[in-house]
Amino acid sequence: MRTGVWLVGVRGSVATTSIVGALALRAGLTRPTGCVTELPEVNSPALPSVADLVFGGHDVVATPIAKRAEALADAGVVPARLVAALTEELAAVERELRPAPTAGTQADRAAEIVRDLTTFRQRHGLSRVVVVNVAATEPAPRPHPGHADPDALRTALAGPDEVLPPSSLYAYAAVVADCPYVDFTPSTGLRLPALTALADSHAVPYAGHDGKTGETLLKSVLAPMFAMRHLAVRSWSGLNLLGGGDGATLADPDANAAKVRSKQRVLGETLGYLPQGDTRIGYVEDLGDFKTAWDLITFAGFLGTGMRLEFTWHGCDSALAAPLVLDLARLTAAAHAAGRTGPLTELAFFFKDPLGTATHSLADQWTRLCGFARSLDPGGTDAASG
Ligand SMILES: NC(=O)c1ccc[n+]([C@@H]2O[C@H](COP(=O)([O-])OP(=O)(O)OC[C@H]3O[C@@H](n4cnc5c(N)ncnc54)[C@H](O)[C@@H]3O)[C@@H](O)[C@H]2O)c1
């Protein structure tokens, strides 16, 4: 089942690490550490193998992917020996990368994206192409009447207005090209009524939002623990310091606000109340792709006795994110092959701000993911019940 993975933001850190990782796995040069779909509970014959994945993508910058990979090796994100061993494979991926369309109306740009996706699918004889957004985080868009329904949107896109933010224009084009869409970012993507209605009419599945790789991953484990032990969380404050392209983007207050909103949901929805405190994100260029999150939690136990927990997380963001991008591409492709449509709420395990699901507990999300994976297996016991 040769499957296309079209990365929006393909020359960024997460995309480049995903591509280097997949090529290294295919060549047998590394192990699938961090790939959830390689665990027996989630692996299934219904998933395309990593070796079946064919990469392409769009970006607004033209830096060769091999140069981006070398820069990531210099920064200690990927091993330099892998980048050196994959020169030919990276050159082959480079031939599949396209500049983000900039000319004409948004309808013209969407048509160009649709052409790029369709010719990619045909050129490689792919059974399907999963579009994954790993582009820079955008601020929330201003409301527009075109967001309401597909007909209003089609008319508005042909006019002079910038109706959709880039993530949503890619989501629109993905759906029109009958491609499943995954949003690994906190950007708007498919979350507009016009786009979800369009996705329904094209019968494509979609998943999002915002990959859960660090501080929020820990929150989704620790917050249920406080709730289950009936301990009262009084405050939860977090400070995230990061560099790299993502850190530079998040220095912009509007993009920062989108990310902070996405990080806060887990506490309110798991505890049933919002403790004092907030999450802050700061840009420190020297940290590069290595993020430090420091959290301070104060809580009360029996008789109101006050206690505290602190943790410090030092994560390499792209190394944490890349295997999840591969997992999401494989699972979403298999869901599409199985005829699944609409939001894939069972993939909440992977996201900070999951679509259409009430549970933020990682353990509950894991159970749902395992059931989902079993349901995709044509020979599995759950297949008959869907
Ligand atoms: N690394 C993680 O752990 C993690 C976790 C959750 C979410 N994310 C999200 O993943 C995204 C990528 O992160 P990164 O570290 O790779 O960032 P990055 O800055 O290294 O890469 C982003 C890429 O997007 C490109 N881009 C910007 N606008 C574009 C457009 N309109 N069309 C096409 N390409 C465009 C940029 O040129 C750049 O190459 C961010 O939105 C980030 O918030 C990352």
Side-chain angles (χ1 to χ4, degrees):
M1 186 164 64
R2 275 165 65 77
T3 299
V5 183
W6 191 268
L7 298 167
V8 181
V10 70
R11 299 180 193 279
S13 301
V14 172
T16 306
T17 309
S18 305
I19 292 169
V20 169
L23 297 177
L25 283 167
R26 187 167 69 191
L29 297 174
T30 194
R31 295 176 54 74
T33 311
C35 295
V36 174
T37 41
E38 290 300 317
L39 291 169
E41 296 91 331
V42 185
N43 197 279
S44 148
L47 304 182
S49 71
V50 173
D52 283 335
L53 304 180
V54 181
F55 291 91
H58 283 113
D59 205 303
V60 288
V61 297
T63 322
I65 189 104
K67 288 269 165 279
R68 285 295 290 130
E70 281 167 19
L72 288 168
D74 290 345
V77 176
V78 298
R81 67 172 177 86
L82 290 186
V83 179
L86 295 167
T87 311
E88 275 176 33
E89 290 83 350
L90 287 169
V93 172
E94 183 67 41
R95 291 193 284 278
E96 301 302 329
L97 310 190
R98 299 289 177 268
T102 50
T105 64
Q106 284 204 309
D108 297 330
R109 282 175 254 160
E112 197 173 329
I113 299 167
V114 171
R115 261 195 310 278
D116 286 340
L117 291 171
T118 313
T119 54
F120 176 63
R121 185 164 53 207
Q122 287 164 351
R123 201 164 47 247
H124 293 280
L126 304 169
S127 30
R128 69 204 80 254
V129 177
V130 181
V131 175
V132 185
N133 181 26
V134 281
T137 298
E138 307 156 354
R142 270 206 291 275
H144 187 286
H147 297 170
D149 70 76
D151 289 337
L153 182 61
R154 262 187 292 271
T155 309
L157 288 175
D161 290 356
E162 291 292 304
V163 181
L164 294 177
S167 63
S168 302
L169 194 66
Y170 283 107
Y172 172 81
V175 170
V176 170
D178 296 319
C179 297
Y181 174 85
V182 177
D183 208 325
F184 201 78
T185 83
S187 303
T188 308
L190 226 142
R191 284 181 293 189
L192 292 172
L195 294 180
T196 49
L198 197 67
D200 289 345
S201 67
H202 281 258
V204 289
Y206 51 92
H209 269 258
D210 201 4
K212 182 161 67 182
T213 55
E215 187 201 33
T216 314
L217 179 64
L218 285 161
K219 278 181 175 168
S220 69
V221 174
L222 292 173
M225 175 199 75
F226 285 111
M228 285 185 279
R229 282 294 171 98
H230 202 184
L231 297 167
V233 178
R234 288 177 169 160
S235 73
W236 196 313
S237 310
L239 175 63
N240 291 255
L241 299 174
L242 74 160
D246 195 23
T249 304
L250 295 174
D252 168 56
D254 291 336
N256 195 317
K259 194 78 170 184
V260 166
R261 255 196 310 280
S262 167
K263 281 169 146 304
Q264 281 300 78
R265 255 187 78 183
V266 56
L267 285 186
E269 293 183 14
T270 305
L271 298 171
Y273 55 89
L274 254 186
Q276 288 174 23
D278 56 16
T279 303
R280 291 179 211 180
I281 305 176
Y283 175 55
V284 181
E285 189 185 352
D286 189 53
L287 295 180
D289 217 42
F290 288 78
K291 182 203 279 177
T292 292
W294 174 74
D295 277 42
L296 171 66
I297 304 143
T298 59
F299 60 99
F302 195 42
L303 309 178
T305 307
M307 294 170 251
R308 54 196 271 170
L309 165 70
E310 287 172 49
F311 69 76
T312 313
W313 169 265
H314 298 283
C316 177
D317 264 3
S318 297
L320 291 162
L324 306 186
V325 169
L326 303 180
D327 288 330
L328 285 162
R330 296 175 73 191
L331 288 160
T332 306
H336 189 222
R340 284 287 308 263
T341 63
L344 298 175
T345 57
E346 299 96 329
L347 299 186
F349 179 78
F350 294 97
F351 297 112
K352 284 191 194 69
D353 194 4
L355 287 169
T357 175
T359 178
H360 283 272
S361 152
L362 194 73
D364 294 346
Q365 292 174 341
W366 168 250
T367 305
R368 293 197 70 206
L369 175 66
C370 296
F372 175 69
R374 280 195 304 276
S375 78
L376 295 174
D377 179 357
T381 47
D382 284 16
S385 57

